[in-house]
Amino acid sequence: MNGENPTGAEVAAFFDRYSAAFAAYDAAALTALFDRPLTVLTAAHPLTHADDAAVRHYVEAMFATYHGIGLAWPVPAAVWAWPCGPDLARAEVLWLLRSEDRAEIMRFSTSYVLRRDAAAGWKLAVVIAYEEPGKLPGSQE
């Protein structure tokens, strides 16, 4: 992202932190990056995770799903972000999922809405999982 879009640079840095927390399977660190409530939209139905316990459960279920396919390193290969006012941003991320030996497992795009918290910075408020709904924890509920 270039200097003309500081929100874009901030959001790209946010997804680097997200990737590092996910690669470490650090539930506390990843959970801290989500807003409350968190809304996850799939073609099947929206899911709302209203509190810390619900978001933590969502994160742990994601970890179980991705650990099961051998994910060791989720790479935000490309991040496009647009400000939507001073404290909201929309982002599109092309994820490249790699195994421990760095082999590609899969790639897909996900859209996000982020909200800037005055104390904590950017948080994921909405996740739009349209390319991999079958792998999203809870999507089959």
Side-chain angles (χ1 to χ4, degrees), residues 49-112:
H49 307 285
D51 57 26
D52 291 345
V55 173
R56 175 83 179 219
H57 176 74
Y58 168 74
V59 166
E60 289 173 349
M62 268 199 313
F63 283 169
T65 297
Y66 288 109
H67 185 71
I69 64 168
L71 176 67
W73 188 36
V75 180
V79 178
W80 299 272
W82 304 268
C84 301
D87 294 319
L88 291 174
R90 180 182 166 273
E92 183 75 18
V93 179
L94 173 62
W95 289 103
L96 174 58
L97 305 186
R98 294 192 176 278
S99 66
E100 196 167 309
D101 64 359
R102 302 294 196 234
E104 182 177 330
I105 297 170
M106 65 186 290
R107 62 179 66 199
F108 59 89
S109 292
T110 302
S111 292
Y112 302 90

